[in-house]
Amino acid sequence: MAKPENWESIASRTQKHRDDSILKAPGFADIEAKLRDIQLSHNVTGVAEQVLSKEDLSITRQDPETLLHNLATRKLSSVAVASAFLNRAALAQRLVNCLTELLPESALQRARELDDYIQAHGKPVGPLHGLPISVKINVGMKGRTFNCAFVSQADDVAEADATIISILQNAGAVLHARTSGPQILMHLESSSNLYGTIVNPFNTQLTAGGSSGGEGALQALRGSVLGIGGIRNPAANNGLYGLKPSVFRLPRGGGSAPFPGNEQIMSTAGPISTSLAGMQVFMKAIVDRQPWIAEPWVNPIPWREHVPDPSKRLRIAVMRDDGVVRPHPPILRALEETVEKLRQDRNIELSEWIPWRHDYAWKLILKLFFSDGAEGVRKQFDASGEPMKSLSKWILEEQASPHTKLDSRDIWQITKERDQYRAAYNQKWNDTGSGKDSLGNPVNTVDAILCPAGPGAAPPLECARYWAYTSQWNLLDYSALVFPVSKADPSRDHADPSYKPRNADDAYNHALYVPEKYQDAPLSLQLVGRRYDEEKLISITERIQKLL
């Protein structure tokens, strides 16, 4: 009987497949030759300028909306665009280890088909005609492996395309790269035994984030300008835009998940992009294709233009701190500078948002995520014998420990507590109104909450241990959008040695902040809306951007 393959061997051949795939990028040989002569610094965002051709640079500097216009008007061919992004994605992999595989053969074949179509018909095949889009590894693509970065899942193959993949392809997208994430697919750092560790392009001593650190790092290096993944943290860490929709706004069938069947807190994928317009392009392309027909659990909400009315006076509440862990000085500066800009607009009314029991919310989150006592996750480790990464051990054995496997009545009770918390938080929001309409509903409530996207900029590797600035809104199933604001600056963002931490988590986060370690790290903020407020958040962020 053949001896079972050990986890190291499985990881090695998985990484070899990835490395072999980037060799097939059209310009890889030239890229590799030029890289040999470059002395890399911690910030690798400028390397492409020294390596890629002028044509590739010109194409990959363009954001999604510009690319789509140039493709539709035939100023650019799909083959030229696909080739440029394949080359830049291959370079990104060499610099920060963001991919699970490059797809040069299928991408170029698809690009040629699209060029033939537009030549024959004089119009694009769909709203995403020729646009390269990157895809996180857990999203199923027919005939290709998909997983949650467990070694035991390395050979799992998708039998069909995920619904969202089918829609993107029918809309004309060119799927050119697949990106990696963290072990168990749940961390704010993307590190696994299967694919290795992804580092931040702006400072390779810092994390690219998670759970879609591969998407974040790839787009920071412009190896893609639009992709699918878990959204806000990698967008924040890499200076990108990321939109987390409410559950069931977008299709979710056909993917790999760490807790399949868990409905207490459901994961939701969304777009990450180099531009705010990319959010709109992606969401409209998916929603306009009525995904609720393919997946009956998707809510049949058409894409709503001009929500809210651009002329409407906005009410934005500012949450500087969640009451548990105080954000680092660069984040507080970015928030305050943004608030000062908002004060200059007479059509924006600002108020303070007082966080309500966010510490209790985190306790609920742990119980809801791990209601099986993490048994399913542990079985994946046992199946291959791979060791837990440090952050897996932290969440499974320190945060969620002791693991108590809940029975059905326990799950009903904790779900009831979740719903009571959601109802109470909703009431807090309703209470911001200035009256009621004829139906008794509150009017003139806060439109959105402006808050940090995390307790700091991208932290050093293996140190991302506070999730609640994003997981809070997962618990409530609120829509949320992350947008870039600035960069960390050690000469301005001084540490506060007089600060007295409130608890152990606060002390850990406070001790992480050494200004020089965060050099060049992007600073981002988060705008939070109520459920299914995706269009509204894009519109509000557009107004904020004009002020910034």
Side-chain angles (χ1 to χ4, degrees):
M1 191 164 95
K3 184 179 179 182
E5 188 177 10
N6 62 40
W7 74 263
E8 294 95 337
S9 174
I10 297 171
S12 178
R13 63 175 169 81
T14 300
Q15 292 170 27
K16 184 179 186 304
H17 168 76
R18 175 196 61 204
D19 297 343
D20 287 347
S21 74
I22 70 168
L23 296 176
K24 299 174 185 177
F28 183 76
D30 189 47
I31 291 170
E32 190 72 1
K34 290 179 179 177
L35 271 179
R36 295 191 193 103
D37 299 325
I38 296 174
Q39 184 69 37
L40 298 178
S41 66
H42 288 335
N43 188 331
V44 297
T45 55
V47 172
E49 304 291 330
Q50 306 172 61
V51 173
L52 298 180
S53 69
K54 289 183 179 180
E55 181 183 15
D56 285 356
L57 288 170
S58 174
I59 290 171
T60 55
R61 285 183 186 129
Q62 298 175 41
D63 287 324
E65 62 276 21
T66 305
L67 285 166
L68 287 169
H69 171 77
N70 288 334
L71 285 159
T73 56
R74 288 191 268 183
K75 292 178 181 177
L76 288 173
S77 71
S78 295
V79 167
V81 172
S83 296
F85 278 98
L86 285 165
N87 287 336
R88 196 145 185 171
L91 173 61
Q93 168 57 27
R94 290 284 284 107
L95 295 174
V96 295
N97 189 39
C98 52
L99 301 183
T100 64
E101 64 177 331
L102 197 64
L103 306 173
E105 293 156 326
S106 60
L108 289 171
Q109 178 182 337
R110 176 62 169 157
R112 285 189 288 269
E113 292 169 357
L114 292 168
D115 284 339
D116 290 345
Y117 182 94
I118 201 169
Q119 178 69 30
H121 297 85
K123 63 179 182 179
V125 74
L128 300 178
H129 181 100
L131 184 67
I133 289 183
S134 44
V135 181
K136 189 177 178 181
I137 185 60
N138 71 312
V139 182
M141 294 178 66
K142 185 177 180 179
R144 297 190 179 278
T145 57
F146 70 139
N147 58 63
C148 296
F150 287 115
V151 173
S152 60
Q153 298 175 340
D155 298 323
D156 290 0
V157 174
E159 296 180 359
D161 286 331
T163 305
I164 202 165
I165 293 295
S166 297
I167 292 174
L168 290 171
Q169 291 181 320
N170 288 336
V174 175
L175 307 179
H176 74 299
R178 304 184 74 204
T179 54
S180 57
Q183 186 182 64
I184 78 173
L185 214 67
M186 284 190 67
H187 301 305
L188 301 187
E189 172 177 317
S190 292
S191 177
S192 72
N193 295 314
L194 194 56
Y195 299 111
T197 298
I198 305 168
V199 294
N200 192 301
F202 291 93
N203 184 333
T204 55
Q205 302 299 300
L206 306 176
T207 180
S211 65
S212 299
E215 277 298 321
L218 177 65
Q219 291 194 36
L221 292 171
R222 300 193 76 90
S224 175
V225 290
L226 184 61
I228 314 169
I231 309 118
R232 288 160 297 157
N233 180 258
N237 284 8
N238 294 282
L240 302 165
Y241 296 85
L243 176 64
K244 183 200 86 67
S246 291
V247 171
F248 299 136
R249 185 74 200 269
L250 295 181
R252 62 196 308 274
S256 179
F259 309 113
N262 184 330
E263 295 190 343
Q264 278 62 52
I265 302 182
M266 301 185 74
S267 62
T268 175
I272 303 177
S273 181
T274 56
S275 76
L276 180 62
M279 305 287 96
Q280 171 109 355
V281 164
F282 182 96
M283 293 294 293
K284 189 174 188 311
I286 301 296
V287 172
D288 280 356
R289 270 146 180 79
Q290 301 181 335
W292 47 86
I293 294 175
E295 294 188 6
W297 44 81
V298 175
N299 282 318
I301 305 172
W303 189 252
R304 299 159 292 186
E305 302 286 354
H306 307 301
V307 178
D309 183 331
S311 63
K312 177 184 180 293
R313 180 176 171 82
L314 290 177
R315 297 191 66 205
I316 297 177
V318 180
M319 188 185 86
R320 292 174 168 78
D321 183 322
D322 72 351
V324 183
V325 171
R326 184 192 191 194
H328 288 165
I331 299 298
L332 294 174
R333 172 176 62 82
L335 183 55
E336 192 53 45
E337 289 176 351
T338 301
V339 168
E340 285 302 313
K341 292 288 186 181
L342 298 186
R343 287 197 178 106
Q344 297 172 18
D345 189 329
R346 294 181 180 179
N347 283 320
I348 296 178
E349 177 187 336
L350 297 175
S351 61
E352 295 295 318
W353 185 268
I354 307 302
W356 189 70
R357 301 188 71 190
H358 285 213
D359 51 348
Y360 169 71
W362 177 242
K363 293 174 183 176
L364 281 178
I365 289 164
L366 289 173
K367 291 177 182 177
L368 293 165
F369 270 145
F370 301 106
S371 57
D372 69 340
E375 182 179 287
V377 170
R378 292 178 186 278
K379 283 181 178 177
Q380 297 292 345
F381 286 113
D382 293 342
S384 69
E386 71 165 305
M388 286 188 194
K389 303 293 287 184
S390 63
L391 290 177
S392 297
K393 188 173 290 187
W394 167 75
I395 191 64
L396 294 175
E397 297 184 354
E398 294 180 35
Q399 288 294 295
S401 181
H403 287 299
T404 303
K405 187 175 181 179
L406 305 180
D407 62 24
S408 57
R409 289 187 179 276
D410 294 327
I411 293 173
W412 295 342
Q413 176 59 34
I414 194 68
T415 303
K416 176 183 174 182
E417 293 173 20
R418 177 205 67 182
D419 289 347
Q420 289 172 336
Y421 182 77
R422 285 178 172 179
Y425 217 95
N426 181 68
Q427 187 59 49
K428 295 288 182 185
W429 201 306
N430 286 342
D431 288 346
T432 67
S434 58
K436 293 187 178 182
D437 62 15
S438 59
L439 300 175
N441 293 322
V443 295
N444 199 30
T445 58
V446 160
D447 290 293
I449 300 169
L450 178 65
C451 62
L461 297 172
E462 300 189 1
C463 294
R465 294 191 173 198
Y466 191 70
W467 301 4
Y469 277 97
T470 48
S471 62
Q472 170 72 23
W473 314 118
N474 290 76
L475 176 68
L476 296 171
D477 194 30
Y478 286 174
S479 307
L481 192 154
V482 161
F483 60 97
V485 174
S486 184
K487 295 277 181 64
D489 182 352
S491 69
R492 300 175 66 194
D493 303 320
H494 305 295
D496 181 3
S498 66
Y499 179 69
K500 305 297 183 191
R502 292 169 279 202
N503 52 62
D505 289 334
D506 198 22
Y508 179 87
N509 187 65
H510 179 67
L512 282 180
Y513 186 62
V514 177
E516 291 70 26
K517 288 185 177 181
Y518 290 82
Q519 180 71 48
D520 296 334
L523 304 178
S524 302
L525 296 176
Q526 180 174 208
L527 201 65
V528 178
R530 303 176 94 159
R531 297 185 75 211
Y532 304 110
D533 266 357
E534 291 81 23
E535 296 94 333
K536 188 176 186 179
L537 291 180
I538 291 172
S539 178
I540 295 173
T541 304
E542 186 175 10
R543 288 177 67 171
I544 292 174
Q545 274 199 312
K546 289 177 180 177
L547 294 171
L548 294 178

